[in-house]
Amino acid sequence: MASGREKAYAYLKDTVLTDPAMQGAFLSEQDLADRIGVSRTPIREALLQLAAEDLVELVPKRGARVAPLTGREIRELMELRGIVERYAAEQLVAAGRAPVAELQALLDRQRELTGAEDAKEFIDVDHRFHAALVSAVGNALLDRHYDGLRSRQVRAGVVALFNQQGRQDAVMEEHEAIVDALAAGDARAACAAIDHHLESTLKVLLAG
């Protein structure tokens, strides 16, 4: 059974930090404690952990504030994702074991999530799509490293959907290009599709 701190940490990271309306907002420890059903101590412990990860800011006499992603953080996130995802595509094509069926299934699921109310689930599936590509390499250390980016990826993805109308359709087209290239065994095309997808997301985020 998860501890109070673990429950608070998971709720904050997966629900609060990924809410576009909460970017830059101060958090109420008591409100969070009431919502999660724990005391304020686990909330404080979770906030300290998130502060250590630079996901919240602890402001003296004000409390914890959700730290908005800066332009620099967004650029660095996309750069790092590109390095990891291109590497994965190259390795998988060379080995002839790209997870095409799994990626296509996730893309099909995304096609069912087209409403504004589905934005967070759409981005959750988006993360699973990219994580499936990386995970297929079979490098456990790489998996843990990539999973550490999850919260920032989800936050950036949700914000991108809210910043540009029609972004969901564009994401699906970009994902389709990645799947098609992997299915064709074309590593160069897969890397180009990954770059296009990340660059498009970066432009939307910086424009917003």
Side-chain angles (χ1 to χ4, degrees):
M1 181 180 293
S3 68
R5 182 195 60 78
E6 290 169 337
K7 287 172 62 178
Y9 177 82
Y11 181 82
L12 283 162
K13 199 167 186 178
D14 296 336
T15 302
V16 177
L17 297 185
T18 56
D19 184 348
M22 295 303 296
Q23 306 310 303
F26 280 91
L27 302 174
S28 164
E29 291 183 5
Q30 189 59 58
D31 178 59
L32 290 168
D34 292 342
R35 275 194 270 169
I36 301 169
V38 297
S39 69
R40 292 176 64 173
T41 298
I43 299 296
R44 291 194 192 100
E45 293 172 347
L47 290 172
L48 285 171
Q49 185 174 350
L50 290 167
E53 298 173 19
D54 293 325
L55 293 174
V56 301
E57 299 171 338
L58 299 181
V59 182
K61 299 182 181 179
R62 294 290 305 278
R65 174 176 176 265
V66 178
L69 289 171
T70 66
R72 176 177 176 177
E73 283 181 300
I74 293 168
R75 289 188 183 90
E76 290 176 350
L77 171 63
M78 295 305 166
E79 181 178 357
L80 186 53
R81 284 185 59 188
I83 292 169
V84 173
E85 293 178 29
R86 287 192 302 270
Y87 169 80
E90 290 168 349
Q91 294 296 309
L92 294 169
V93 169
R97 53 187 180 85
V100 174
E102 182 180 1
L103 295 176
Q104 187 62 58
L106 289 166
L107 178 56
D108 291 342
R109 175 57 182 151
Q110 278 193 303
R111 295 190 193 286
E112 300 172 358
L113 302 167
T114 56
E117 70 279 3
D118 298 321
K120 289 181 71 172
E121 186 176 355
F122 181 94
I123 291 301
D124 182 63
V125 177
D126 181 277
H127 172 76
R128 287 162 56 195
F129 178 94
H130 292 278
L133 174 66
V134 175
S135 180
V137 175
N139 184 319
L141 186 59
L142 187 65
D143 284 350
R144 288 197 295 273
H145 171 76
Y146 190 81
D147 192 59
L149 303 176
R150 180 179 180 279
S151 181
R152 285 181 172 85
Q153 283 183 239
V154 172
R155 290 173 67 193
V158 172
V159 172
L161 291 190
F162 278 81
N163 279 359
Q164 183 182 78
Q165 187 174 8
R167 181 58 190 156
Q168 284 173 308
D169 290 336
V171 166
M172 289 184 287
E173 290 177 7
E174 292 159 15
H175 280 184
E176 189 72 68
I178 295 171
V179 174
D180 288 348
L182 291 170
D186 190 335
R188 180 175 295 180
C191 289
I194 288 168
D195 282 342
H196 175 66
H197 177 48
L198 297 177
E199 287 167 5
S200 296
T201 302
L202 176 62
K203 286 178 182 177
V204 171
L205 288 167
L206 295 182

